[in-house]
Amino acid sequence: IYFGHTGLSISIPGQDNIVFDYGTFSFSESFYHDFIFGLLYYTVSETYESWRIDEFISEDRTTTRLPLDLSPEAKHGVLAFLSENIQPENRTYLYHYYKDNCATRIRDIYNSAEGGGFREWAESIDTGKSYRDWSTPYMSPSLFFALFLNYLQGPEIDTPINLYQACFLPDVLERTISEYEGAEPELIYQTRTRKPTPDSYFLEARAAAVGAIAAAAIMLTASRRKWIRRTGDILSAFIYIALAVMSSILVFMMFFTNHDVTYMNINALIISPLLFIPGILHAVSIWKEKRRAIALSSSILLIIAILALLFQIVTPFHQNNASYYIIALMIYASDAISARCAFRLRPSKR
């Protein structure tokens, strides 16, 4: 996952440039607790530009620099703000991936230096894309994280946003300021191993492939051969329990944390903690088959998913979650069908 990073470099005559970076955090004793509950605090730090560039190059990260054409008064204003903001009592802020991060902080500083003109211009440009549409292509290096992170995020990120809001992504911020100023960024280092971020990432097609693989594994439970059925039960139990754990994480985040992007997430119904039931039934079926109970539980899950889909169709509620309907419907339908087929099969002695 390559979301990128940005900082504000200040040129000081006679010495190395200083980079002000709003993406600093520490692995303190409370880090994991704060991260889980959506209370992750970031700070602004100052480092030498040459050191940061060397660090990025050592990590094989494409590095660019975009000079800003600010008036002398604006430069003094930025320096005064940064000097005050770097103080211990001012340097900490509550991080939010979309609305308050390393890029949005630089965006807002630049906008203030431009007297608000940058924001007025960028907000007048509708991108026709949502936060989800913008961020998902950056997850393309990992299908697992693309599916997992999008599952956890609800309708909060599915409203179309303007270009100013899209500047939560560092490279979008760079392109937008570059267009606004009519200047080209300077390439300092080009990655040798990282693939460029695609313009779009069709998650639904990949979800269909994942659903088909899972459905095929579940259908093994309809085999006449005992060892194949047992293999299918093992795989089915793993699939259901893994999805149930994922959904339990979502329910916890929705009701007990500060992660507002998870609120009102209908994915908690489509793939829900109820999946523990067929998961346990498949695990038990490794020794003593529970096909009727499995058929009933998967049918109920299928009905719930269909009702959730109908709800989204007939109401104004909007969430871009077709990928999870695809996976859920394929899994539940295949399990219901294979369990019912097993009723008519005589267990093999093999």
Side-chain angles (χ1 to χ4, degrees):
I1 301 177
Y2 307 138
F3 292 114
H5 188 55
T6 191
L8 186 60
S9 179
I10 304 297
S11 177
I12 302 176
Q15 69 179 69
D16 195 356
N17 294 353
I18 301 295
V19 173
F20 288 83
D21 176 0
Y22 283 85
T24 305
F25 61 91
S26 62
F27 285 99
S28 62
E29 292 182 1
S30 64
F31 172 81
Y32 292 105
H33 174 275
D34 294 341
F35 176 79
I36 290 170
F37 284 90
L39 299 172
L40 190 56
Y41 289 93
Y42 275 47
T43 62
V44 56
S45 61
E46 52 182 341
T47 54
Y48 288 119
E49 182 187 86
S50 59
W51 181 84
R52 294 311 302 270
I53 290 176
D54 288 343
E55 179 187 34
F56 294 150
I57 292 175
S58 69
E59 296 173 353
D60 194 37
R61 302 170 65 174
T62 296
T63 307
T64 59
R65 182 194 291 115
L66 178 64
L68 301 178
D69 185 18
L70 302 179
S71 67
E73 294 78 14
K75 292 179 181 179
H76 286 301
V78 170
L79 284 171
F81 173 79
L82 292 173
S83 298
E84 181 68 19
N85 206 214
I86 199 67
Q87 299 305 311
E89 64 273 19
N90 300 325
R91 64 195 308 168
T92 301
Y93 71 98
L94 182 60
Y95 174 86
H96 189 288
Y97 172 65
Y98 296 107
K99 299 176 182 177
D100 204 352
N101 65 18
C102 67
T104 64
R105 288 267 163 162
I106 303 301
R107 175 199 66 187
D108 294 344
I109 292 172
Y110 175 72
N111 177 64
S112 295
E114 288 292 312
F118 174 67
R119 179 170 188 165
E120 182 180 1
W121 170 77
E123 284 188 336
S124 68
I125 302 174
D126 292 325
T127 66
K129 298 197 293 185
S130 65
Y131 282 119
R132 192 189 303 273
D133 297 329
W134 278 107
S135 62
T136 299
Y138 291 83
M139 306 175 195
S140 59
S142 173
L143 176 58
F144 170 78
F145 280 106
L147 287 170
F148 180 63
L149 294 178
N150 274 290
Y151 170 80
L152 293 178
Q153 300 179 91
E156 175 76 14
I157 65 168
D158 286 320
T159 302
I161 61 176
N162 57 54
L163 187 56
Y164 192 77
Q165 293 170 299
C167 288
F168 77 94
L169 290 165
D171 66 341
V172 176
L173 175 63
E174 180 186 70
R175 293 198 303 266
T176 304
I177 294 179
S178 176
E179 181 180 353
Y180 182 74
E181 294 218 350
E184 288 296 323
E186 170 194 356
L187 177 63
I188 298 175
Y189 176 78
Q190 178 66 49
T191 180
R192 298 177 180 179
T193 60
R194 302 191 181 202
K195 296 180 180 179
T197 301
D199 293 331
S200 60
Y201 187 70
F202 193 37
L203 192 58
E204 290 80 3
R206 292 166 173 84
V210 170
I213 293 171
I218 290 171
M219 291 295 287
L220 294 176
T221 59
S223 173
R224 291 181 178 273
R225 295 175 180 266
K226 185 176 181 179
W227 71 270
I228 294 180
R229 291 199 305 277
R230 296 300 177 258
T231 301
D233 282 319
I234 293 171
L235 294 174
S236 300
F238 174 80
I239 291 168
Y240 275 118
I241 292 174
L243 291 176
V245 169
M246 182 178 73
S247 64
S248 298
I249 293 172
L250 171 56
V251 172
F252 173 80
M253 294 177 72
M254 286 173 62
F255 292 103
F256 301 105
T257 76
N258 196 47
H259 292 286
D260 60 347
V261 296
T262 67
Y263 299 167
M264 301 296 293
N265 192 338
I266 201 171
N267 287 339
L269 290 177
I270 304 166
I271 299 176
S272 76
L274 291 175
L275 270 66
F276 276 117
I277 297 173
I280 293 171
L281 289 172
H282 274 289
V284 172
S285 292
I286 297 172
W287 297 277
K288 184 178 180 181
E289 294 192 357
K290 299 290 184 180
R291 301 303 165 197
R292 293 185 183 277
I294 289 172
L296 177 61
S297 63
S298 58
S299 297
I300 291 173
L301 290 169
L302 181 60
I303 291 170
I304 292 173
I306 292 173
L307 290 175
L309 178 59
L310 292 175
F311 172 78
Q312 285 197 235
I313 292 174
V314 303
T315 68
F317 181 87
H318 173 65
Q319 183 175 334
N320 183 0
N321 58 348
S323 298
Y324 307 102
Y325 281 113
I326 292 171
I327 292 173
L329 294 177
M330 293 179 76
I331 289 176
Y332 305 154
S334 66
D335 206 15
I337 293 170
S338 60
R340 281 171 169 75
C341 288
F343 295 162
R344 298 187 294 272
L345 294 179
R346 178 177 296 178
S348 171
K349 299 296 184 181
R350 301 185 194 183

